[in-house]
Amino acid sequence: MTLPTLTLNDGFTIPALGFGTYPLVGAEGAAAVRSALDTGYRLLDSAVNYENEGVVGRAARDWLVESGSGRDELTVQTKLPGRHHDYERALASGYESVARLGLDRIDVLMIHWPNPVTGRYREAWRALVELRERGVVRSVGVSNFTPRLLEEIIDDSGVVPVVNQVELHPYFPQEELLEVHARHGIVTEAWSPLGKRQAPYGEPVIVAAAARLGVTPAQVILRWHLERGTVPLPKSATPSRQAENLAVDSFSLLPEEVAAITALGREDGRLFDGDPERHEEM
């Protein structure tokens, strides 16, 4: 099963759908990540604060060896935590992440949360750019950045992030942010792409689209992401569900279905009080 890819603004590509790994840890986590790779996922998403870089790296290394695949066939990304935003600490953190992953490089390294109250996201971003220059990291991006914060780091460094990974699902479709990303050539990645405990599986437009296509409501939502050009990162430890989530490139939604699902957005659509202009991550 081969998914299409999206070209980043630095010329590299990433798969159009990835595998989220929070909170997969330990032996069970390693088995789940390996199952995802065997199923066909080629984009793995981790973070220092998920405490599973070692698990993700082990599964990736084993799969590369046993499948005979080339390193460039796999995209592994991770995220810098808030407590490492100091420039020198951010540099060290990047090296530590590479060591935990046990890979030759990090394909995409992101700032996990901007922490605007602490206010060191600009120096953290400059450190990520330096890690890219040193070859520790292939591409650099951010997560949970608002349009204002994106403009600040771009103006400060002259470097545009390749991705911004944000909360994005039918109840929180992020239309304004997607327009900003399009202007800058930033790829949008979606965490909690199905909406977790608030997943809108029973919404009439999703139920009707699933019935028309003979697919599940979850598959309709993941296809909605692909139709909008966003990269969903669903997580499941169940092999059958992993395969189901990946099998969304064989059908298409009607434009009016995409519009109707987007129209499900709510003002209070966030899953928790995670406004990036206020949230502070350790």
Side-chain angles (χ1 to χ4, degrees):
M1 189 179 301
T2 303
L3 281 169
T5 59
L6 298 177
T7 301
L8 305 175
N9 60 35
D10 62 2
F12 292 104
T13 61
I14 60 170
L17 186 150
F19 185 69
T21 67
Y22 178 80
L24 301 174
V25 296
E28 291 183 0
V33 177
R34 177 56 191 266
S35 171
L37 290 166
D38 290 339
T39 300
Y41 289 86
R42 296 295 178 264
L43 168 59
L44 302 178
D45 181 68
S46 183
V48 171
N49 275 353
Y50 297 172
E51 298 183 338
N52 68 2
E53 288 175 312
V55 159
V56 170
R58 174 186 170 187
R61 295 192 310 273
D62 288 350
W63 177 81
L64 286 168
V65 171
E66 294 170 22
S67 69
S69 300
R71 177 66 180 85
D72 290 343
E73 295 180 42
L74 186 61
T75 300
V76 179
Q77 54 188 37
T78 191
K79 307 180 196 76
L80 178 84
R83 62 187 177 278
H84 294 170
H85 278 200
D86 173 81
Y87 182 82
E88 294 297 333
R89 189 69 193 90
L91 290 177
S93 185
Y95 283 98
E96 290 165 3
S97 286
V98 168
R100 283 190 293 270
L101 288 165
L103 298 170
D104 59 326
R105 65 171 187 264
I106 299 167
D107 295 304
V108 184
L109 179 61
M110 298 172 237
I111 298 174
H112 203 158
W113 286 86
N115 286 23
V117 175
T118 304
R120 289 186 165 179
Y121 51 90
R122 284 177 292 270
E123 62 180 293
W125 179 243
R126 291 194 295 271
L128 264 60
V129 173
E130 175 62 23
L131 287 166
R132 186 190 66 178
E133 295 302 309
R134 295 183 184 186
V136 178
V137 175
R138 189 197 70 184
S139 301
V140 289
V142 295
S143 182
N144 301 301
F145 271 58
T146 64
R148 178 185 73 83
L149 296 169
L150 284 171
E151 297 294 348
E152 282 197 22
I153 62 169
I154 293 169
D155 289 345
D156 181 66
S157 67
V159 178
V160 179
V162 298
V163 299
N164 187 14
Q165 185 184 125
V166 296
E167 178 183 350
L168 200 160
H169 46 79
Y171 288 150
F172 197 63
Q174 295 270 35
E175 292 181 272
E176 178 186 351
L177 183 61
L178 262 60
E179 292 176 0
V180 173
H181 288 175
R183 289 201 300 271
H184 286 294
I186 298 171
V187 168
T188 308
E189 293 185 353
W191 58 263
S192 294
L194 298 173
K196 285 191 175 179
R197 61 187 178 277
Q198 298 177 16
Y201 296 153
E203 291 285 355
V205 62
I206 293 174
V207 172
R212 179 181 71 82
L213 293 162
V215 299
T216 68
Q219 287 175 309
V220 168
I221 295 170
L222 292 173
R223 183 66 208 183
W224 170 76
H225 282 280
L226 268 62
E227 299 277 2
R228 299 178 83 214
T230 63
V231 179
L233 301 166
K235 186 274 300 179
S236 176
T238 306
S240 60
R241 184 62 58 82
Q242 291 175 350
E244 179 183 290
N245 288 344
L246 194 63
V248 294
D249 196 40
S250 60
F251 63 91
S252 298
L253 298 176
L254 301 172
E256 54 267 33
E257 290 172 331
V258 175
I261 295 171
T262 304
L264 296 173
R266 304 171 175 177
E267 287 189 13
D268 61 346
R270 290 188 187 278
L271 293 174
F272 74 103
D273 187 22
D275 183 349
E277 291 285 358
R278 298 193 305 271
H279 182 75
E280 293 282 301
E281 178 213 37
M282 289 296 293

